[in-house]
Amino acid sequence: MAAPCYLGWDFSTQQLKVIAIDEQLRVVYEDNVHFDKDLPEFRTQGGVYIHSDRLTVTSPVLMWVKALDMILEKMKSSGFKFSQVRALSGAGQQHGSVYWKKGSIQILKNVSSKLPLHQSLKACFSVSNSPIWMDSSTASQCSALEKAVGGAQHLASITGSRAYERFTGNQIAKIYSQNPEVYMETERISLVSSFAASLFLGAYAPIDYSDGSGMNLLQIWEKVWSVSCLNACAPGLEEKLGCPVPSHSVLGPISPYYSQRYGFSPDCKIVAFTGDNPASLAGMRLQEGDIAISLGTSDTLFLWIQEPTPALEGHILCNPVDSQAYMALLCFKNGSLMRERIRDDCASGSWDEFSKALSSTVAGNNGNLGFYFDVMEITPEAVGIHRFNRHNQKVSDFPKEVEIRALIEGQFMAKRIHAEKLGYKVNFRGNHSVTPCILFCLCA
Ligand SMILES: Nc1ncnc2c1ncn2[C@@H]1O[C@H](COP(=O)(O)OP(=O)(O)O)[C@@H](O)[C@H]1O
Ligand SMILES: O=C(CO)[C@@H](O)[C@H](O)COP(=O)(O)O
């Protein structure tokens, strides 16, 4: 008989990933579905749609459901022993939101095991394109929220962050103001993480404290929704969000759908899902004083803190491991996609060539320095490509190798400046196949 195992899911920007570990924490299975490549019918780029205003960024919610169907079928074909899964949990890209249409709970509870999920759930979403973390179209809603609660610093003191355009409360406020009828026909709003948990639970999963802190709606000290923030965003919102729970809550057994269709044990437990960054803090077993850097679609820097002071820059989130503690987070929007663009321009689209070019230049890049923001950055708020030579003169281009090093050093310098403000020790998480040279630059 196969040994017991545990599944972890990651619904992130560009792909859905799954990993199974045994009781000795050994990885026994890994797989992924890449949205652009494996689900071309949705026509996403990097898993998203960038709308014509260049500010609105969404992902089709049914693509996430279909990705789950696809990965489960792949696991089944490979002979994966679903019956051995004792529990599962997971993570989602932060801030993104899913809008369940009135009556969907009944459909979710009663999905037929004869059909893939995406067929049963196709009419369940009042918003078919979910706003995601790359969206920056809610500037007016952010100003209104800060004004309603007495200013940016006051909002940060309540929710851990001043108003950010990608934060879910502001996204909900935009949907309510532009399409009140869509908002009214929504019975539940999930984060990507709680949406994913809902698919497994066959019921609406609660939002967890950690991912809930990325909404500009949760009082991070009391761990309850802030009435003034809710009221500033949309009417009747509390009911649509449900009660938030600790990130490690056991939500209940898996939906019968998975036992009937894939052979999961009916006793398999669903543990609350959380945001991908909080999940990384938990998974890396970060301790107070450590800083981790994640190089995903976004780059993030995060750390465990006991006594946070919310400020106008960065975010304080509830800690996913210890409900008395917190985590600080900085997010950089120009992460992997920016590196990919320079790789394509300067290294023929090859990470190997990128790596060789990086190794061929020296630390400090002979004084050449660059800041690369293809899209409006979050930290700091800046856009464009800015190159400076060793005499501090602005230049319009660099030789290819110099460009590659300027990009990597510029990105890491920005993180280091913030790291110096926040702590001292740097760990690393991220794409496991990331070019070692990039890691070397980070640690140099
Ligand atoms: N060898 C490599 N070196 C640097 N970056 C890489 C390498 N291989 C893949 N990547 C980048 O990693 C990104 C995906 O990282 P991942 O953490 O899986 O993203 P996400 O979880 O946000 O979907 C891609 O944009 C890709 O360009
Ligand atoms: O917006 C943030 C954090 O505040 C992002 O870090 C998202 O959570 C997206 O994660 P990745 O898909 O890049 O891992």
Side-chain angles (χ1 to χ4, degrees):
M1 201 177 87
C5 70
Y6 302 84
L7 289 182
W9 300 88
D10 180 15
F11 286 72
S12 65
T13 314
Q14 302 192 54
Q15 48 194 327
L16 168 62
K17 309 181 196 102
V18 66
I19 190 168
I21 54 167
D22 67 13
E23 294 197 321
Q24 280 70 50
L25 307 182
R26 287 178 302 222
V27 175
V28 294
Y29 186 88
E30 257 185 293
D31 215 334
N32 75 301
V33 165
H34 190 268
F35 302 136
D36 296 359
K37 202 163 40 86
D38 298 321
L39 293 165
E41 62 273 35
F42 288 97
R43 297 165 183 271
T44 55
Q45 281 190 322
V48 310
Y49 299 139
I50 301 180
H51 295 229
S52 54
D53 62 2
R54 312 289 304 161
L55 298 172
T56 307
V57 186
T58 60
S59 291
V61 61
L62 274 177
M63 175 181 79
W64 295 329
V65 183
K66 205 166 178 184
L68 177 59
D69 287 327
M70 188 179 254
I71 211 165
L72 286 164
E73 291 301 331
K74 280 170 89 178
M75 294 170 82
K76 191 173 167 181
S77 313
S78 76
F80 183 81
K81 298 270 178 301
F82 292 102
S83 59
Q84 296 312 110
V85 181
R86 295 285 187 271
L88 67 83
S89 187
Q93 52 169 295
Q94 297 198 254
H95 320 295
S97 42
V98 171
Y99 299 78
W100 299 88
K101 211 181 259 180
K102 279 191 177 149
S104 296
I105 187 63
Q106 292 312 328
I107 302 176
L108 186 59
K109 271 189 184 149
N110 298 307
V111 282
S112 158
S113 61
K114 299 209 166 47
L115 294 175
L117 274 181
H118 74 273
Q119 280 189 27
S120 301
L121 301 184
K122 61 176 183 261
C124 281
F125 304 103
S126 46
V127 175
S128 52
N129 288 313
S130 285
I132 65 143
W133 68 275
M134 291 162 112
D135 185 283
S136 41
S137 66
T138 64
S140 62
Q141 286 78 17
C142 287
S143 310
L145 177 59
E146 288 182 348
K147 199 163 161 223
V149 301
Q153 182 58 55
H154 195 230
L155 181 63
S157 307
I158 301 169
T159 68
S161 302
R162 68 172 302 169
Y164 280 87
E165 291 168 322
R166 70 191 192 287
F167 274 43
T168 325
N170 306 304
Q171 295 294 339
I172 296 170
K174 178 183 159 192
I175 287 177
Y176 171 63
S177 69
Q178 294 189 346
N179 281 306
E181 65 295 345
V182 164
Y183 178 78
M184 293 307 177
E185 70 178 69
T186 300
E187 69 183 10
R188 182 74 171 216
I189 301 174
S190 299
L191 293 178
V192 176
S193 55
S194 61
F195 152 76
S198 306
L199 297 179
F200 288 105
L201 201 59
Y204 294 142
I207 291 173
D208 75 291
Y209 294 157
S210 250
D211 212 14
S213 338
M215 303 174 79
N216 278 146
L217 294 177
L218 189 77
Q219 295 181 190
I220 56 164
W221 312 104
E222 299 83 6
K223 282 127 180 111
V224 294
W225 299 121
S226 154
V227 174
S228 50
C229 293
L230 293 175
N231 289 344
C233 288
L237 185 49
E238 186 161 13
E239 196 195 328
K240 295 186 201 294
L241 294 176
C243 280
V245 298
S247 306
H248 41 72
S249 308
V250 176
L251 304 180
I254 197 163
S255 152
Y257 172 85
Y258 297 87
S259 314
Q260 290 158 15
R261 191 171 169 94
Y262 296 105
F264 275 89
S265 156
D267 295 330
C268 171
K269 302 275 183 300
I270 310 300
V271 179
F273 283 41
T274 187
D276 53 2
N277 294 297
S280 297
L281 177 129
M284 288 181 68
R285 304 187 65 231
L286 240 59
Q287 294 173 3
E288 210 177 338
D290 296 338
I291 296 178
I293 290 180
S294 157
L295 305 178
T297 310
S298 61
D299 287 353
T300 58
L301 181 151
F302 49 87
L303 58 150
W304 175 305
I305 39 175
Q306 213 60 40
E307 288 169 8
T309 317
L312 293 178
E313 186 177 270
H315 316 297
I316 303 296
L317 311 180
C318 296
N319 187 300
V321 179
D322 174 354
S323 295
Q324 305 305 310
Y326 294 87
M327 69 179 276
L329 173 81
L330 288 170
C331 181
F332 305 87
K333 214 190 252 184
N334 292 274
S336 268
L337 298 178
M338 187 67 242
R339 287 186 288 277
E340 260 180 44
R341 213 264 287 159
I342 298 295
R343 178 203 63 185
D344 294 346
D345 289 356
C346 299
S348 323
S350 146
W351 286 120
D352 273 355
E353 259 192 52
F354 185 96
S355 207
K356 278 188 200 131
L358 192 55
S359 319
S360 73
T361 48
V362 293
N365 213 11
N366 291 319
N368 296 299
L369 191 63
F371 302 98
Y372 296 77
F373 308 118
D374 265 353
V375 290
M376 176 62 82
E377 190 46 90
I378 300 165
T379 331
E381 230 179 280
V383 73
I385 312 296
H386 310 277
R387 301 179 186 85
F388 301 89
N389 67 15
R390 60 189 306 171
H391 307 295
N392 208 19
Q393 290 157 333
K394 207 160 191 275
V395 292
S396 57
D397 49 37
F398 280 146
K400 288 182 175 176
E401 298 76 11
V402 176
E403 178 92 321
I404 288 175
R405 183 164 283 276
L407 163 74
I408 297 300
E409 290 192 347
Q411 288 190 329
F412 291 158
M413 198 188 306
K415 290 174 187 65
R416 188 158 185 176
I417 289 164
H418 295 290
E420 281 175 0
K421 278 194 207 161
L422 299 169
Y424 60 93
K425 195 170 141 193
V426 176
N427 274 336
F428 175 77
R429 112 162 146 109
N431 187 298
H432 58 272
S433 59
V434 82
T435 302
C437 276
I438 296 183
L439 302 189
F440 187 74
C441 284
L442 176 62
C443 303

